Amino acid sequence: MAGKILVVPDPDRTAYLPPRAARARKLILRRRLGLGWVLAPALFGVVILVAGGLLLAGGGRPGAPWVRVAPLAGLDAGGVTAVSAPGNRVVVVDLRGGGVRAFEAAPGPSRCLIVASGSGFARPCTHERWTAAGAPAGKATAPLRQVPTMLAKGDLYVDLG
């Protein structure tokens, strides 16, 4: 045994790095790891699975303050559609010009909807008119308030806050 040094690992250590494995950085475990070493990765795996399940269950739909107004397929493509929203509100959806704009309007008489009128809007039964930006034009008393819109999973959502 000339020229070789025998390294005896310390029996109190859990792991050691033998001289032959030093280049590869392989640790040699001398005893079993405790139950915590098995439970910790399993717990992290469960947390990741639960978080992923909750994310998928939401389906990419926005939460509050966004309110679902209507499916996009149910709206007049290239036109104006008035739909009712929670809290006795009326949302006017404008799909003209390739974009999506939404306005909150004061509720009018039943069956008296806001429709397209040129580049603006009108409520024919009460003779109210608004510009394309929602400002009163003519007899209209209150402006149409533009609200933010979001499309998610084929549905139109608005923020009425």
PDB file of all heavy atoms in Angstrom, residues 96-133:
ATOM      1  N   ARG A  96     -69.114  47.411 -34.571  1.00  0.00           N
ATOM      2  CA  ARG A  96     -68.847  48.031 -35.877  1.00  0.00           C
ATOM      3  C   ARG A  96     -67.363  48.374 -35.974  1.00  0.00           C
ATOM      4  O   ARG A  96     -66.726  48.713 -34.985  1.00  0.00           O
ATOM      5  CB  ARG A  96     -69.674  49.305 -36.040  1.00  0.00           C
ATOM      6  CG  ARG A  96     -71.165  49.044 -36.048  1.00  0.00           C
ATOM      7  CD  ARG A  96     -71.940  50.333 -36.140  1.00  0.00           C
ATOM      8  NE  ARG A  96     -71.786  51.078 -34.882  1.00  0.00           N
ATOM      9  CZ  ARG A  96     -72.380  52.224 -34.626  1.00  0.00           C
ATOM     10  NH1 ARG A  96     -73.165  52.788 -35.524  1.00  0.00           N
ATOM     11  NH2 ARG A  96     -72.194  52.830 -33.476  1.00  0.00           N
ATOM     12  N   GLY A  97     -66.840  48.285 -37.171  1.00  0.00           N
ATOM     13  CA  GLY A  97     -65.447  48.675 -37.399  1.00  0.00           C
ATOM     14  C   GLY A  97     -64.426  47.630 -36.965  1.00  0.00           C
ATOM     15  O   GLY A  97     -63.259  47.937 -36.831  1.00  0.00           O
ATOM     16  N   GLY A  98     -64.846  46.410 -36.706  1.00  0.00           N
ATOM     17  CA  GLY A  98     -63.906  45.341 -36.377  1.00  0.00           C
ATOM     18  C   GLY A  98     -63.472  45.300 -34.933  1.00  0.00           C
ATOM     19  O   GLY A  98     -62.754  44.402 -34.537  1.00  0.00           O
ATOM     20  N   GLY A  99     -63.844  46.246 -34.117  1.00  0.00           N
ATOM     21  CA  GLY A  99     -63.466  46.251 -32.701  1.00  0.00           C
ATOM     22  C   GLY A  99     -64.655  45.955 -31.810  1.00  0.00           C
ATOM     23  O   GLY A  99     -65.784  45.779 -32.277  1.00  0.00           O
ATOM     24  N   VAL A 100     -64.394  45.900 -30.523  1.00  0.00           N
ATOM     25  CA  VAL A 100     -65.450  45.688 -29.536  1.00  0.00           C
ATOM     26  C   VAL A 100     -65.432  46.869 -28.583  1.00  0.00           C
ATOM     27  O   VAL A 100     -64.433  47.122 -27.917  1.00  0.00           O
ATOM     28  CB  VAL A 100     -65.238  44.375 -28.747  1.00  0.00           C
ATOM     29  CG1 VAL A 100     -66.313  44.209 -27.691  1.00  0.00           C
ATOM     30  CG2 VAL A 100     -65.216  43.187 -29.678  1.00  0.00           C
ATOM     31  N   ARG A 101     -66.535  47.596 -28.542  1.00  0.00           N
ATOM     32  CA  ARG A 101     -66.702  48.682 -27.582  1.00  0.00           C
ATOM     33  C   ARG A 101     -67.991  48.438 -26.823  1.00  0.00           C
ATOM     34  O   ARG A 101     -68.949  47.901 -27.376  1.00  0.00           O
ATOM     35  CB  ARG A 101     -66.777  50.042 -28.279  1.00  0.00           C
ATOM     36  CG  ARG A 101     -65.508  50.415 -28.997  1.00  0.00           C
ATOM     37  CD  ARG A 101     -65.544  51.832 -29.560  1.00  0.00           C
ATOM     38  NE  ARG A 101     -66.784  52.131 -30.257  1.00  0.00           N
ATOM     39  CZ  ARG A 101     -67.322  53.341 -30.343  1.00  0.00           C
ATOM     40  NH1 ARG A 101     -66.736  54.369 -29.775  1.00  0.00           N
ATOM     41  NH2 ARG A 101     -68.449  53.538 -31.001  1.00  0.00           N
ATOM     42  N   ALA A 102     -68.005  48.822 -25.564  1.00  0.00           N
ATOM     43  CA  ALA A 102     -69.211  48.651 -24.753  1.00  0.00           C
ATOM     44  C   ALA A 102     -69.479  49.949 -23.994  1.00  0.00           C
ATOM     45  O   ALA A 102     -68.560  50.620 -23.543  1.00  0.00           O
ATOM     46  CB  ALA A 102     -69.057  47.489 -23.790  1.00  0.00           C
ATOM     47  N   PHE A 103     -70.759  50.273 -23.881  1.00  0.00           N
ATOM     48  CA  PHE A 103     -71.201  51.474 -23.180  1.00  0.00           C
ATOM     49  C   PHE A 103     -72.277  51.078 -22.181  1.00  0.00           C
ATOM     50  O   PHE A 103     -73.131  50.245 -22.471  1.00  0.00           O
ATOM     51  CB  PHE A 103     -71.792  52.495 -24.163  1.00  0.00           C
ATOM     52  CG  PHE A 103     -70.811  53.013 -25.174  1.00  0.00           C
ATOM     53  CD1 PHE A 103     -70.637  52.355 -26.382  1.00  0.00           C
ATOM     54  CD2 PHE A 103     -70.076  54.158 -24.922  1.00  0.00           C
ATOM     55  CE1 PHE A 103     -69.740  52.827 -27.321  1.00  0.00           C
ATOM     56  CE2 PHE A 103     -69.174  54.639 -25.864  1.00  0.00           C
ATOM     57  CZ  PHE A 103     -69.006  53.971 -27.056  1.00  0.00           C
ATOM     58  N   GLU A 104     -72.236  51.712 -21.018  1.00  0.00           N
ATOM     59  CA  GLU A 104     -73.318  51.533 -20.052  1.00  0.00           C
ATOM     60  C   GLU A 104     -74.322  52.650 -20.283  1.00  0.00           C
ATOM     61  O   GLU A 104     -73.950  53.821 -20.389  1.00  0.00           O
ATOM     62  CB  GLU A 104     -72.791  51.588 -18.626  1.00  0.00           C
ATOM     63  CG  GLU A 104     -73.883  51.393 -17.595  1.00  0.00           C
ATOM     64  CD  GLU A 104     -73.377  51.484 -16.174  1.00  0.00           C
ATOM     65  OE1 GLU A 104     -72.206  51.822 -15.957  1.00  0.00           O
ATOM     66  OE2 GLU A 104     -74.180  51.224 -15.264  1.00  0.00           O
ATOM     67  N   ALA A 105     -75.586  52.279 -20.388  1.00  0.00           N
ATOM     68  CA  ALA A 105     -76.643  53.256 -20.637  1.00  0.00           C
ATOM     69  C   ALA A 105     -77.677  53.185 -19.525  1.00  0.00           C
ATOM     70  O   ALA A 105     -77.848  52.148 -18.880  1.00  0.00           O
ATOM     71  CB  ALA A 105     -77.319  52.970 -21.977  1.00  0.00           C
ATOM     72  N   ALA A 106     -78.356  54.298 -19.309  1.00  0.00           N
ATOM     73  CA  ALA A 106     -79.462  54.302 -18.358  1.00  0.00           C
ATOM     74  C   ALA A 106     -80.600  53.468 -18.941  1.00  0.00           C
ATOM     75  O   ALA A 106     -80.860  53.530 -20.144  1.00  0.00           O
ATOM     76  CB  ALA A 106     -79.928  55.731 -18.107  1.00  0.00           C
ATOM     77  N   PRO A 107     -81.260  52.662 -18.110  1.00  0.00           N
ATOM     78  CA  PRO A 107     -82.367  51.864 -18.657  1.00  0.00           C
ATOM     79  C   PRO A 107     -83.489  52.774 -19.160  1.00  0.00           C
ATOM     80  O   PRO A 107     -83.797  53.788 -18.560  1.00  0.00           O
ATOM     81  CB  PRO A 107     -82.825  51.012 -17.484  1.00  0.00           C
ATOM     82  CG  PRO A 107     -82.099  51.483 -16.284  1.00  0.00           C
ATOM     83  CD  PRO A 107     -81.038  52.435 -16.705  1.00  0.00           C
ATOM     84  N   GLY A 108     -84.046  52.404 -20.272  1.00  0.00           N
ATOM     85  CA  GLY A 108     -85.155  53.164 -20.839  1.00  0.00           C
ATOM     86  C   GLY A 108     -86.455  52.394 -20.667  1.00  0.00           C
ATOM     87  O   GLY A 108     -86.515  51.399 -19.947  1.00  0.00           O
ATOM     88  N   PRO A 109     -87.493  52.847 -21.333  1.00  0.00           N
ATOM     89  CA  PRO A 109     -88.759  52.108 -21.271  1.00  0.00           C
ATOM     90  C   PRO A 109     -88.566  50.682 -21.784  1.00  0.00           C
ATOM     91  O   PRO A 109     -87.695  50.414 -22.601  1.00  0.00           O
ATOM     92  CB  PRO A 109     -89.676  52.903 -22.207  1.00  0.00           C
ATOM     93  CG  PRO A 109     -89.029  54.234 -22.372  1.00  0.00           C
ATOM     94  CD  PRO A 109     -87.567  54.032 -22.161  1.00  0.00           C
ATOM     95  N   SER A 110     -89.364  49.769 -21.271  1.00  0.00           N
ATOM     96  CA  SER A 110     -89.224  48.376 -21.692  1.00  0.00           C
ATOM     97  C   SER A 110     -89.425  48.262 -23.199  1.00  0.00           C
ATOM     98  O   SER A 110     -90.233  48.976 -23.795  1.00  0.00           O
ATOM     99  CB  SER A 110     -90.229  47.493 -20.963  1.00  0.00           C
ATOM    100  OG  SER A 110     -91.543  47.865 -21.300  1.00  0.00           O
ATOM    101  N   ARG A 111     -88.670  47.375 -23.806  1.00  0.00           N
ATOM    102  CA  ARG A 111     -88.691  47.121 -25.247  1.00  0.00           C
ATOM    103  C   ARG A 111     -88.257  48.333 -26.077  1.00  0.00           C
ATOM    104  O   ARG A 111     -88.567  48.422 -27.251  1.00  0.00           O
ATOM    105  CB  ARG A 111     -90.057  46.636 -25.697  1.00  0.00           C
ATOM    106  CG  ARG A 111     -90.415  45.321 -25.065  1.00  0.00           C
ATOM    107  CD  ARG A 111     -91.692  44.822 -25.608  1.00  0.00           C
ATOM    108  NE  ARG A 111     -92.064  43.596 -24.905  1.00  0.00           N
ATOM    109  CZ  ARG A 111     -93.159  42.936 -25.125  1.00  0.00           C
ATOM    110  NH1 ARG A 111     -94.008  43.348 -26.026  1.00  0.00           N
ATOM    111  NH2 ARG A 111     -93.422  41.847 -24.452  1.00  0.00           N
ATOM    112  N   CYS A 112     -87.574  49.278 -25.466  1.00  0.00           N
ATOM    113  CA  CYS A 112     -87.069  50.447 -26.187  1.00  0.00           C
ATOM    114  C   CYS A 112     -85.553  50.354 -26.158  1.00  0.00           C
ATOM    115  O   CYS A 112     -84.907  50.805 -25.227  1.00  0.00           O
ATOM    116  CB  CYS A 112     -87.556  51.734 -25.522  1.00  0.00           C
ATOM    117  SG  CYS A 112     -87.113  53.205 -26.458  1.00  0.00           S
ATOM    118  N   LEU A 113     -84.997  49.741 -27.172  1.00  0.00           N
ATOM    119  CA  LEU A 113     -83.575  49.439 -27.194  1.00  0.00           C
ATOM    120  C   LEU A 113     -82.772  50.534 -27.882  1.00  0.00           C
ATOM    121  O   LEU A 113     -83.290  51.291 -28.707  1.00  0.00           O
ATOM    122  CB  LEU A 113     -83.344  48.116 -27.927  1.00  0.00           C
ATOM    123  CG  LEU A 113     -84.018  46.885 -27.321  1.00  0.00           C
ATOM    124  CD1 LEU A 113     -83.752  45.669 -28.181  1.00  0.00           C
ATOM    125  CD2 LEU A 113     -83.511  46.653 -25.909  1.00  0.00           C
ATOM    126  N   ILE A 114     -81.497  50.583 -27.554  1.00  0.00           N
ATOM    127  CA  ILE A 114     -80.577  51.489 -28.222  1.00  0.00           C
ATOM    128  C   ILE A 114     -80.045  50.761 -29.452  1.00  0.00           C
ATOM    129  O   ILE A 114     -79.648  49.602 -29.375  1.00  0.00           O
ATOM    130  CB  ILE A 114     -79.438  51.898 -27.275  1.00  0.00           C
ATOM    131  CG1 ILE A 114     -80.026  52.696 -26.106  1.00  0.00           C
ATOM    132  CG2 ILE A 114     -78.385  52.703 -28.007  1.00  0.00           C
ATOM    133  CD1 ILE A 114     -79.036  53.050 -25.037  1.00  0.00           C
ATOM    134  N   VAL A 115     -80.062  51.449 -30.591  1.00  0.00           N
ATOM    135  CA  VAL A 115     -79.655  50.850 -31.861  1.00  0.00           C
ATOM    136  C   VAL A 115     -78.606  51.739 -32.524  1.00  0.00           C
ATOM    137  O   VAL A 115     -78.361  52.868 -32.086  1.00  0.00           O
ATOM    138  CB  VAL A 115     -80.867  50.654 -32.808  1.00  0.00           C
ATOM    139  CG1 VAL A 115     -81.860  49.658 -32.228  1.00  0.00           C
ATOM    140  CG2 VAL A 115     -81.544  51.983 -33.098  1.00  0.00           C
ATOM    141  N   ALA A 116     -78.012  51.235 -33.599  1.00  0.00           N
ATOM    142  CA  ALA A 116     -77.051  52.019 -34.364  1.00  0.00           C
ATOM    143  C   ALA A 116     -77.783  53.102 -35.138  1.00  0.00           C
ATOM    144  O   ALA A 116     -78.874  52.896 -35.660  1.00  0.00           O
ATOM    145  CB  ALA A 116     -76.286  51.113 -35.318  1.00  0.00           C
ATOM    146  N   SER A 117     -77.155  54.263 -35.212  1.00  0.00           N
ATOM    147  CA  SER A 117     -77.709  55.376 -35.977  1.00  0.00           C
ATOM    148  C   SER A 117     -76.532  56.124 -36.587  1.00  0.00           C
ATOM    149  O   SER A 117     -75.870  56.906 -35.902  1.00  0.00           O
ATOM    150  CB  SER A 117     -78.513  56.294 -35.064  1.00  0.00           C
ATOM    151  OG  SER A 117     -78.949  57.430 -35.774  1.00  0.00           O
ATOM    152  N   GLY A 118     -76.251  55.835 -37.850  1.00  0.00           N
ATOM    153  CA  GLY A 118     -75.061  56.411 -38.483  1.00  0.00           C
ATOM    154  C   GLY A 118     -73.825  55.854 -37.796  1.00  0.00           C
ATOM    155  O   GLY A 118     -73.689  54.659 -37.612  1.00  0.00           O
ATOM    156  N   SER A 119     -72.929  56.745 -37.361  1.00  0.00           N
ATOM    157  CA  SER A 119     -71.761  56.283 -36.611  1.00  0.00           C
ATOM    158  C   SER A 119     -72.022  56.299 -35.112  1.00  0.00           C
ATOM    159  O   SER A 119     -71.190  55.856 -34.335  1.00  0.00           O
ATOM    160  CB  SER A 119     -70.554  57.161 -36.932  1.00  0.00           C
ATOM    161  OG  SER A 119     -70.796  58.486 -36.484  1.00  0.00           O
ATOM    162  N   GLY A 120     -73.186  56.805 -34.695  1.00  0.00           N
ATOM    163  CA  GLY A 120     -73.528  56.897 -33.279  1.00  0.00           C
ATOM    164  C   GLY A 120     -74.614  55.917 -32.878  1.00  0.00           C
ATOM    165  O   GLY A 120     -74.750  54.833 -33.460  1.00  0.00           O
ATOM    166  N   PHE A 121     -75.432  56.338 -31.903  1.00  0.00           N
ATOM    167  CA  PHE A 121     -76.471  55.477 -31.334  1.00  0.00           C
ATOM    168  C   PHE A 121     -77.761  56.272 -31.192  1.00  0.00           C
ATOM    169  O   PHE A 121     -77.740  57.495 -31.113  1.00  0.00           O
ATOM    170  CB  PHE A 121     -76.038  54.973 -29.949  1.00  0.00           C
ATOM    171  CG  PHE A 121     -74.676  54.351 -29.935  1.00  0.00           C
ATOM    172  CD1 PHE A 121     -73.567  55.084 -29.562  1.00  0.00           C
ATOM    173  CD2 PHE A 121     -74.502  53.023 -30.295  1.00  0.00           C
ATOM    174  CE1 PHE A 121     -72.306  54.520 -29.550  1.00  0.00           C
ATOM    175  CE2 PHE A 121     -73.248  52.453 -30.287  1.00  0.00           C
ATOM    176  CZ  PHE A 121     -72.141  53.196 -29.914  1.00  0.00           C
ATOM    177  N   ALA A 122     -78.867  55.532 -31.122  1.00  0.00           N
ATOM    178  CA  ALA A 122     -80.169  56.178 -30.935  1.00  0.00           C
ATOM    179  C   ALA A 122     -81.105  55.239 -30.190  1.00  0.00           C
ATOM    180  O   ALA A 122     -80.978  54.017 -30.265  1.00  0.00           O
ATOM    181  CB  ALA A 122     -80.771  56.552 -32.283  1.00  0.00           C
ATOM    182  N   ARG A 123     -82.036  55.848 -29.445  1.00  0.00           N
ATOM    183  CA  ARG A 123     -83.145  55.117 -28.823  1.00  0.00           C
ATOM    184  C   ARG A 123     -84.392  55.700 -29.479  1.00  0.00           C
ATOM    185  O   ARG A 123     -84.918  56.733 -29.057  1.00  0.00           O
ATOM    186  CB  ARG A 123     -83.144  55.322 -27.319  1.00  0.00           C
ATOM    187  CG  ARG A 123     -84.174  54.468 -26.606  1.00  0.00           C
ATOM    188  CD  ARG A 123     -84.137  54.651 -25.092  1.00  0.00           C
ATOM    189  NE  ARG A 123     -83.140  53.758 -24.503  1.00  0.00           N
ATOM    190  CZ  ARG A 123     -82.476  54.027 -23.374  1.00  0.00           C
ATOM    191  NH1 ARG A 123     -82.678  55.161 -22.742  1.00  0.00           N
ATOM    192  NH2 ARG A 123     -81.604  53.173 -22.895  1.00  0.00           N
ATOM    193  N   PRO A 124     -84.880  55.037 -30.560  1.00  0.00           N
ATOM    194  CA  PRO A 124     -85.929  55.630 -31.386  1.00  0.00           C
ATOM    195  C   PRO A 124     -87.217  55.972 -30.642  1.00  0.00           C
ATOM    196  O   PRO A 124     -87.837  56.999 -30.934  1.00  0.00           O
ATOM    197  CB  PRO A 124     -86.197  54.562 -32.448  1.00  0.00           C
ATOM    198  CG  PRO A 124     -84.973  53.715 -32.473  1.00  0.00           C
ATOM    199  CD  PRO A 124     -84.421  53.755 -31.099  1.00  0.00           C
ATOM    200  N   CYS A 125     -87.641  55.159 -29.706  1.00  0.00           N
ATOM    201  CA  CYS A 125     -88.946  55.408 -29.069  1.00  0.00           C
ATOM    202  C   CYS A 125     -88.939  56.648 -28.183  1.00  0.00           C
ATOM    203  O   CYS A 125     -89.987  57.231 -27.927  1.00  0.00           O
ATOM    204  CB  CYS A 125     -89.403  54.182 -28.298  1.00  0.00           C
ATOM    205  SG  CYS A 125     -88.274  53.715 -26.995  1.00  0.00           S
ATOM    206  N   THR A 126     -87.767  57.063 -27.685  1.00  0.00           N
ATOM    207  CA  THR A 126     -87.708  58.277 -26.861  1.00  0.00           C
ATOM    208  C   THR A 126     -86.998  59.424 -27.593  1.00  0.00           C
ATOM    209  O   THR A 126     -86.796  60.487 -27.009  1.00  0.00           O
ATOM    210  CB  THR A 126     -86.954  57.997 -25.543  1.00  0.00           C
ATOM    211  OG1 THR A 126     -85.633  57.558 -25.847  1.00  0.00           O
ATOM    212  CG2 THR A 126     -87.673  56.983 -24.693  1.00  0.00           C
ATOM    213  N   HIS A 127     -86.605  59.176 -28.854  1.00  0.00           N
ATOM    214  CA  HIS A 127     -85.940  60.171 -29.703  1.00  0.00           C
ATOM    215  C   HIS A 127     -84.601  60.647 -29.132  1.00  0.00           C
ATOM    216  O   HIS A 127     -84.188  61.782 -29.381  1.00  0.00           O
ATOM    217  CB  HIS A 127     -86.865  61.380 -29.966  1.00  0.00           C
ATOM    218  CG  HIS A 127     -88.176  60.983 -30.544  1.00  0.00           C
ATOM    219  ND1 HIS A 127     -88.309  60.487 -31.827  1.00  0.00           N
ATOM    220  CD2 HIS A 127     -89.435  60.973 -30.008  1.00  0.00           C
ATOM    221  CE1 HIS A 127     -89.574  60.202 -32.051  1.00  0.00           C
ATOM    222  NE2 HIS A 127     -90.284  60.475 -30.967  1.00  0.00           N
ATOM    223  N   GLU A 128     -83.933  59.789 -28.374  1.00  0.00           N
ATOM    224  CA  GLU A 128     -82.610  60.124 -27.839  1.00  0.00           C
ATOM    225  C   GLU A 128     -81.553  59.722 -28.855  1.00  0.00           C
ATOM    226  O   GLU A 128     -81.689  58.718 -29.549  1.00  0.00           O
ATOM    227  CB  GLU A 128     -82.355  59.391 -26.520  1.00  0.00           C
ATOM    228  CG  GLU A 128     -83.258  59.822 -25.381  1.00  0.00           C
ATOM    229  CD  GLU A 128     -83.002  59.012 -24.128  1.00  0.00           C
ATOM    230  OE1 GLU A 128     -83.460  57.856 -24.076  1.00  0.00           O
ATOM    231  OE2 GLU A 128     -82.325  59.541 -23.232  1.00  0.00           O
ATOM    232  N   ARG A 129     -80.461  60.533 -28.906  1.00  0.00           N
ATOM    233  CA  ARG A 129     -79.360  60.239 -29.832  1.00  0.00           C
ATOM    234  C   ARG A 129     -78.040  60.491 -29.116  1.00  0.00           C
ATOM    235  O   ARG A 129     -77.945  61.372 -28.263  1.00  0.00           O
ATOM    236  CB  ARG A 129     -79.451  61.113 -31.073  1.00  0.00           C
ATOM    237  CG  ARG A 129     -80.735  60.894 -31.870  1.00  0.00           C
ATOM    238  CD  ARG A 129     -80.798  61.773 -33.114  1.00  0.00           C
ATOM    239  NE  ARG A 129     -79.787  61.454 -34.109  1.00  0.00           N
ATOM    240  CZ  ARG A 129     -79.842  60.400 -34.930  1.00  0.00           C
ATOM    241  NH1 ARG A 129     -80.857  59.571 -34.859  1.00  0.00           N
ATOM    242  NH2 ARG A 129     -78.890  60.181 -35.816  1.00  0.00           N
ATOM    243  N   TRP A 130     -77.014  59.711 -29.513  1.00  0.00           N
ATOM    244  CA  TRP A 130     -75.676  59.868 -28.965  1.00  0.00           C
ATOM    245  C   TRP A 130     -74.661  59.800 -30.099  1.00  0.00           C
ATOM    246  O   TRP A 130     -74.905  59.180 -31.133  1.00  0.00           O
ATOM    247  CB  TRP A 130     -75.347  58.751 -27.962  1.00  0.00           C
ATOM    248  CG  TRP A 130     -76.191  58.776 -26.737  1.00  0.00           C
ATOM    249  CD1 TRP A 130     -75.957  59.458 -25.589  1.00  0.00           C
ATOM    250  CD2 TRP A 130     -77.411  58.067 -26.521  1.00  0.00           C
ATOM    251  NE1 TRP A 130     -76.957  59.231 -24.671  1.00  0.00           N
ATOM    252  CE2 TRP A 130     -77.869  58.378 -25.220  1.00  0.00           C
ATOM    253  CE3 TRP A 130     -78.188  57.211 -27.303  1.00  0.00           C
ATOM    254  CZ2 TRP A 130     -79.036  57.842 -24.697  1.00  0.00           C
ATOM    255  CZ3 TRP A 130     -79.354  56.692 -26.772  1.00  0.00           C
ATOM    256  CH2 TRP A 130     -79.768  57.011 -25.478  1.00  0.00           C
ATOM    257  N   THR A 131     -73.512  60.430 -29.889  1.00  0.00           N
ATOM    258  CA  THR A 131     -72.430  60.362 -30.859  1.00  0.00           C
ATOM    259  C   THR A 131     -71.743  58.998 -30.747  1.00  0.00           C
ATOM    260  O   THR A 131     -72.049  58.207 -29.851  1.00  0.00           O
ATOM    261  CB  THR A 131     -71.392  61.469 -30.604  1.00  0.00           C
ATOM    262  OG1 THR A 131     -70.787  61.228 -29.326  1.00  0.00           O
ATOM    263  CG2 THR A 131     -72.029  62.846 -30.638  1.00  0.00           C
ATOM    264  N   ALA A 132     -70.764  58.746 -31.612  1.00  0.00           N
ATOM    265  CA  ALA A 132     -70.020  57.485 -31.577  1.00  0.00           C
ATOM    266  C   ALA A 132     -69.225  57.336 -30.283  1.00  0.00           C
ATOM    267  O   ALA A 132     -68.917  56.225 -29.854  1.00  0.00           O
ATOM    268  CB  ALA A 132     -69.089  57.389 -32.777  1.00  0.00           C
ATOM    269  N   ALA A 133     -68.903  58.459 -29.628  1.00  0.00           N
ATOM    270  CA  ALA A 133     -68.164  58.415 -28.362  1.00  0.00           C
ATOM    271  C   ALA A 133     -69.097  58.308 -27.165  1.00  0.00           C
ATOM    272  O   ALA A 133     -68.640  58.195 -26.027  1.00  0.00           O
ATOM    273  CB  ALA A 133     -67.292  59.652 -28.230  1.00  0.00           C
TER     274      ALA A 133
END
